[in-house]
Amino acid sequence: MSQSITRSRFKLLALITVFALPAILAKLVLTQQWYNSGVTNKGELIEPAQTFKSLGLDNPYQGEKWQLGYLVPAQCDAFCLKQIHYLQQSHIALGKYQQRVVPLVLVDKNSDIQALADLELDMVAVNGSFSQIVSQFEYVIVDPLGQLVMRYPQVKSEDELIPQSKGLLADLRKLLKLSRVG
């Protein structure tokens, strides 16, 4: 009789361990931050949600196209022009999605407009409220409804431009693939 009770207790402990151990391990992994979350976007989501309208701006492509913008700094040097070149190249690399996106240069009151004289990109004027969300030297993705979706922080060197552009392109393709708007 005692051997049967011991065997039953062993079975009960084994059953409890089989079901409790995964939950305990999962809790341990999450609390010790051994797990990286499944975020796949390369840019930073703009939260809380902001729109052109809420910032007091007119969106020239409202309801029509996605916008890939670059906020021109006060002094647009060779690095700035290279970023604008990558903006144009990213637009070309979109392939079949190219018609759904328009590349823009965003200018505020401090932007160096003279450096943009030879460029064939649309220019959109932004205000100080916009510049508080998206800083100079940064890319931004805007959806057709005028909502600022994602921003790409300023990089420090030219070596970081290509990975940033690849990340921007990957995020934009994913957004376009999943979007039913624009």
Side-chain angles (χ1 to χ4, degrees), residues 31 37 40 42 47-49 57 66 133 174-175:
T31 57
S37 64
T40 60
K42 309 295 188 236
E47 294 179 332
L57 297 168
W66 286 79
I133 298 167
K174 196 178 301 177
L175 286 168

Side-chain angles (χ1 to χ4, degrees), residues 120-137:
E120 296 180 11
L121 289 172
D122 290 348
M123 226 182 289
V124 174
V126 295
N127 58 18
S129 300
F130 185 93
S131 298
Q132 290 176 354
I133 298 167
V134 179
S135 301
Q136 296 179 346
F137 290 101

Side-chain angles (χ1 to χ4, degrees), residues 2-42:
S2 71
Q3 187 179 19
S4 124
I5 293 174
T6 306
R7 192 176 303 145
S8 296
R9 286 183 180 164
F10 177 73
K11 286 180 183 178
L12 178 63
L13 286 174
L15 196 62
I16 290 172
T17 303
V18 164
F19 288 103
L21 189 62
I24 293 168
L25 287 175
K27 178 71 174 164
L28 182 66
V29 166
L30 291 174
T31 57
Q32 296 300 316
Q33 298 178 348
W34 294 335
Y35 172 74
N36 294 330
S37 64
V39 175
T40 60
N41 58 301
K42 309 295 188 236

Side-chain angles (χ1 to χ4, degrees), residues 78-96:
F79 185 71
C80 165
L81 293 173
K82 187 160 249 175
Q83 283 187 297
I84 294 171
H85 174 72
Y86 281 123
L87 172 78
Q88 293 170 314
Q89 295 304 310
S90 296
H91 182 250
I92 292 168
L94 284 172
K96 69 179 183 178

